[in-house]
Each structure stands twice: as structure tokens, then as C-alpha cells.
Amino acid sequence: MARKTLNLGILAHVDAGKTTLTERLLYAAGVIDEVGSVDRGTTQTDSLALEQQRGITIKSAVVSFAVDDVTVNLIDTPGHPDFIAEVERVLSVLDGAVLVVSAVEGVQPQTPLLMRALQRLAVPTLIFVNKMDRVGADEERVLEEIARRLSAAIVRAESPDVEVLAERSEPILAAYVEGTTLPAQVLRAELAAQTKEALVHPVFAGSALTGAGVERLMAGIAQLLPAAERDGDGPVAGTVFKIERGPAGERIAYVRMFSGTVSARERLSFGDDIEEKVTAIRVFDRGSDEQRASVSAGEIGKLWGLSEIRIGDRIGDLRTADPQFAPPTLESVVVPADLEEAARLRVALAQLEEQDPLIAVRQDGSELSVSLYGEVQKEVIQATLASDFGLEVTFEETTPICIERPAGTGEALEVLHAETNPYFATIGFRVEPAPDGSGFEFRMPVAKRAMPLYVYKSAENFTEHMREYIHDALGSGLFGWEVSDCVVTMTTCAYSVPDGPPSKRGPLSTAADFRKLTPLVMRKTLEAAGTVVCEPITSVTLEVPTAAVGAVLPALARLGGTFEAPTMDGEHSRIESVLSAARLNDLQRELPGLTSGEGVLESDFAGYRPVESEPPKRR
């Protein structure tokens, strides 16, 4: 019988028990002889020393096991919100997911964010209500929370709700209306079909610690999620979702293959037309990874030899949507304890950036800064630099990452041979405001005859290079922040050619002239338009005891939050607020005291708004 493959993600809020569930699944599949312990640091997937010390997942990890005729590549993901980007990268390679919810704590702040991401990408998802063995476990309460806060399309896996299935199936609806009793196998088949289409979410309950309910969950993984035979003979297509360094410092790429086969010693194209030779391959199989001659469709492999490969690179002919990362909203300067170690620190941070590009290491003079999602991530970077690189560092105060937007329309021009223009090129730009959140758009209406095609070979190539030059120039606006939400138009373009003796009007313009002149003209264009500094904001949903509303609202106002009138539902109330990202940690610290420990906070990136006080300058 041909084997099928299923790439499965395990997701949850931190401490809901997903790593313990991973251990239990491996044990039930016969991959390990003993269930590892998060507390003792003996789990298969939390292999980093820092993960074992802290008892949390920091990096995604892959392990494989078999259920019937299905090979499951299980990917354990971080649960802490500071590592949400690691989760987002994994989502793009999944066939299905299990979302773990604690039967004691219920739906926690990170859980809705994960569910929204799964729904956005239409990833078929099972829900496992964990910790049913704990004091305070309440399955009915948690199911109600799931239906209210995650999705109403939930179905008990053991006894499918005909009414929920009927909402998405005309034959089931007709039988339901007529009062016809449907055979269990019909309902089971319909449940599988709707689950594979991500229309409904079967719910299982049990305990990862004791193993209760795990066998039923394993059967559900094999029967309800879309495992399939893969086309190993098709065109090569895959994506890189993780990068790590080997013992000798070599780069290792984790690749999910969607189609085709990649063999060792084969030259592979990826990224921006880069081609390198694969020197070795290891493929995940039955609890570990083993040396193979090739990796094929459906499999996850580790590839050696690709020194230029990066997270997010597509291999071969793959067309998928880019992950929609919420950007980091904080940054901090990293200072080595020994200033003579600055060069080593730059190298170490560059390697960490390979593993997580969103930390976006930035150098300004002698200062190095990193982008962050939160304080825990900062602590992890600090500990990693100490343990992996022998570098002791401190962080300066964490500050928000702002952006600049054009205040109006501005134009600027630098002409060949003018006294203010040290380069052999003519460039004119116009910048205009664009809708919030639209990013950067470049327009090139100039005629081909005005372009230096002898350097750039084609109008398309020149346009793409100018787009890159402008994008780089917009990295630092009038106040030092990245300029976004704008349209830049190249209004004028000309180049210099020598006439030959006795003319002195040359020399021939080069690519360097256009590259170096662009930031000068872009700066003048922004000065003509003016810019507005905008701070990152978060949308916050608070569920608090109604008796605590009188204490929570003044606290929100003091922290600069705006909010609507609370929605009251008996003993509990819901407050919707918008808050500066810089004050979110303050609210999280204060909430337990304001609500006697009963307040629940959910937050999500909500864009940027103009700073009302003196615009901050980026150091």
C-alpha cells in the first residue's frame, strides 16, 4: 500500500500542553519508549538548552511518526506571543493542525490569534481540549468559550452534531429537516469531508499527561485531516521554513517539498535566481532524521550546501502567498559587556537573523539594535548570545519602532552637471501619500530612451533596480524612521555620454551614479513633502468582571488608550480598546491587580497612528 504523508502543526498558547501532547503522540506511535517531561527538559522537540531551562518552545522542531498508512511529519511550534513569527513561518507548510486548549484555563490570549491565522490560510484544524485530568477542568465551559471566541463551527468528534454539518451540506440539511436518521458512517464521512475543507473543527478531549483520549486523537489525525499521496515525479517545488547552523557553522535549510524530488549533488535554484549544489540531505522519519539520497514531495528534509539560502525562499517553481507577519513593534540597542567584542557581536547577530529575519539587525555607527516582539524575546536573545557564542551583552531601554508617512506631495530634481549634483545622472522624484497600510509603491512613467539601458540591459531591469534604490533610501526618513504608505514616481531621468574630443561633457554614466544619487534626491523629495511620525498601536480586547470595569477604564485612559462603552453580560464585561504598543506591557502588568486576577487580555497589531506629542527621532 502506498504511504500517504501529512505535515501536521501542533499549536497552542504557552503552557497549554502542546509539547507534552507531542511526546504522548510519539509514545503512542512507538517512536519513543518513555514520555519526556517539559519540566525535566527531556522532550524530543525542545532540544535547545534554553528551551529546557525555561520549559517553553522557542524554535519550531520536526519529528516524524506513522499512523496506519500515513506518515506524519509533526511540527511543534512556540506558544509564547514573542515568537509568533516562528509560528507564521510554519503555517505555510502545513497540511493540517491540532490546536491545543487547556480544559482548566480555557481559551487564552494567544489562542484566538492562532485560530485566526489557521482560518486565514484555510488549514484544516482539529481541537484538543487538554488537561482533563486537572482540578478545575471543565469541558462544557471550554467548549462554550471555543464556540464564542474561536469558531462556532465545532463538532464533537465522537458524536458529530448533525445541525452543524447540515449548515454546510445540502443532503445532510435535507435529511435533518425531514427528521431522517443518518447512519453513523455517513456522518463520519461528511465530518471528514468538511474537516478537510477547513469548514468545521472536530473537538477531542483528554490528557496529554496521562494519555487519555490521545489514541482517539491519533485516529482523527489519520482519518479527518488531508493526508495524500504526493507527486514525486512532478516539477520541483518547495519552501524553506527554518534555518539553523551545524556543528561546523554550516547553514542547514529545512525544506517542505510540495512537488518533485531533490537529490544530493543536484544544483538547485532558489530565491532571486540563485543556484547552488545540494551536498547532503537528511529526511525526517520515525522519530529522527536519516541520511537520504533525495527528498520528495510531501516530505520535510534538511539540506546542506546552500550557503545563500534564506528563510522564506521558494525552491523551484512554487507560487504561494507570503506569510502575513505582524511586524515587530519594539527595538533595543545591544551592548557587549566587552566593547572589543563588537565585531564578534555583529557576526553572532547576523547568524541569529538568519534564523529569524524579523529581528532585523540594524547598525548605526557603532551601535547595533534588534527588532523585538516583547521582553521575553529579548531575554532569549541575550541568553542565546551567552550560551552559543560566549558573548555577554546588555540591552538598553526597549523603545517602539515608529514609521514616517508623507505629510503631503513633494517633488525634487537633480540635474546632470549641476553644482549640487556630484554624480553623472539626472533624477527627479515625486512622493505622495498612499492609504494606511499600503506600504511602498513605485511608478516609472519615463521613456525608455531616457534610461541607461547600456548598463541595465532592459527597461524592466532598470525599473527594478530603481525600486530597490528607492526602497533602501526610504529606510530612513526625516526623523530616522522607515517611510511607508507612499507612492514614489520617477518623473525625470537622464544619463551622460561622452561626445569625444574636444567635448568634455562625459564621462559615461554608471549604475553607481544612479544608486548614489537616489538617496540624495529622495531626501530632498521628502523634505518638500514633509513627514509625519506614526507610532505602532494594538487593538486590545479585555474580558473582565463587571465589578472591575470602574477600575479598568481609568487605567486604560491613563495609559493613553481609547475605548468604546463596555459590553456587559451579567458578571462579565467586554472592553474594546486601542492602545500604543509601547504601553501594552504596562497594561498586562496592571490587569491582574485591577481584576483580582480574573481579567483576560487579547491583543493584535492594529497599524500605526500619528504621534501627538513631539515626534521621536530614531537614534
Side-chain angles (χ1 to χ4, degrees), residues 140-162:
E140 293 302 321
R141 171 180 58 80
V142 173
L143 287 174
E144 187 276 329
E145 280 189 24
I146 291 171
R148 178 167 52 88
R149 298 176 59 187
L150 301 183
S151 171
I154 60 171
V155 179
R156 288 181 184 269
E158 294 181 6
S159 54
D161 187 325
V162 178

Side-chain angles (χ1 to χ4, degrees), residues 431-447:
V431 65
E432 305 167 81
D436 293 357
S438 60
F440 155 59
E441 179 186 348
F442 175 52
R443 297 174 182 171
M444 173 69 89
V446 300

Side-chain angles (χ1 to χ4, degrees), residues 497-506:
V497 292
D499 299 331
S503 170
K504 297 181 180 179
R505 296 299 288 176

Side-chain angles (χ1 to χ4, degrees), residues 311-362:
I311 283 178
D313 276 350
R314 272 76 160 178
I315 288 176
D317 185 22
L318 181 66
R319 300 288 181 266
T320 59
D322 291 321
Q324 298 181 21
F325 298 116
T329 58
L330 304 169
E331 68 178 355
S332 181
V333 173
V334 190
V335 182
D338 181 352
L339 295 181
E340 293 185 0
E341 297 278 27
R344 278 216 311 132
L345 177 59
R346 281 196 297 273
V347 173
L349 287 175
Q351 289 196 17
L352 294 185
E353 189 176 23
E354 290 173 1
Q355 300 169 25
D356 184 2
L358 293 182
I359 69 171
V361 178
R362 190 174 70 93

Side-chain angles (χ1 to χ4, degrees), residues 458-530:
S458 70
E460 293 76 15
N461 193 38
F462 177 62
T463 300
E464 188 56 37
H465 275 81
M466 286 305 305
R467 185 194 314 277
E468 291 177 8
Y469 302 158
I470 294 167
H471 180 269
D472 291 345
L474 292 175
S476 181
L478 304 183
F479 295 87
W481 305 103
E482 180 182 356
V483 181
S484 187
D485 302 337
C486 61
V487 176
V488 176
T489 303
M490 191 168 194
T491 56
T492 308
C493 178
Y495 56 93
S496 170
V497 292
D499 299 331
S503 170
K504 297 181 180 179
R505 296 299 288 176
L508 193 68
S509 298
T510 67
D513 291 308
F514 284 88
R515 185 181 72 251
K516 294 177 179 180
L517 183 57
T518 293
L520 303 183
V521 181
M522 198 69 249
R523 179 78 179 188
K524 291 183 178 181
T525 308
L526 291 173
E527 289 172 347

Side-chain angles (χ1 to χ4, degrees), residues 327-329 331 400-406 434-440 474-486 531-537 605 607-611 615-618:
T329 58
E331 68 178 355
I401 301 175
C402 298
I403 64 167
E404 295 178 48
R405 290 173 173 151
D436 293 357
S438 60
F440 155 59
L474 292 175
S476 181
L478 304 183
F479 295 87
W481 305 103
E482 180 182 356
V483 181
S484 187
D485 302 337
C486 61
T531 62
V532 177
V533 176
C534 301
E535 64 177 346
I537 56 175
F605 174 71
Y608 298 86
R609 68 183 178 193
V611 174
K617 292 186 177 180
R618 196 175 206 176

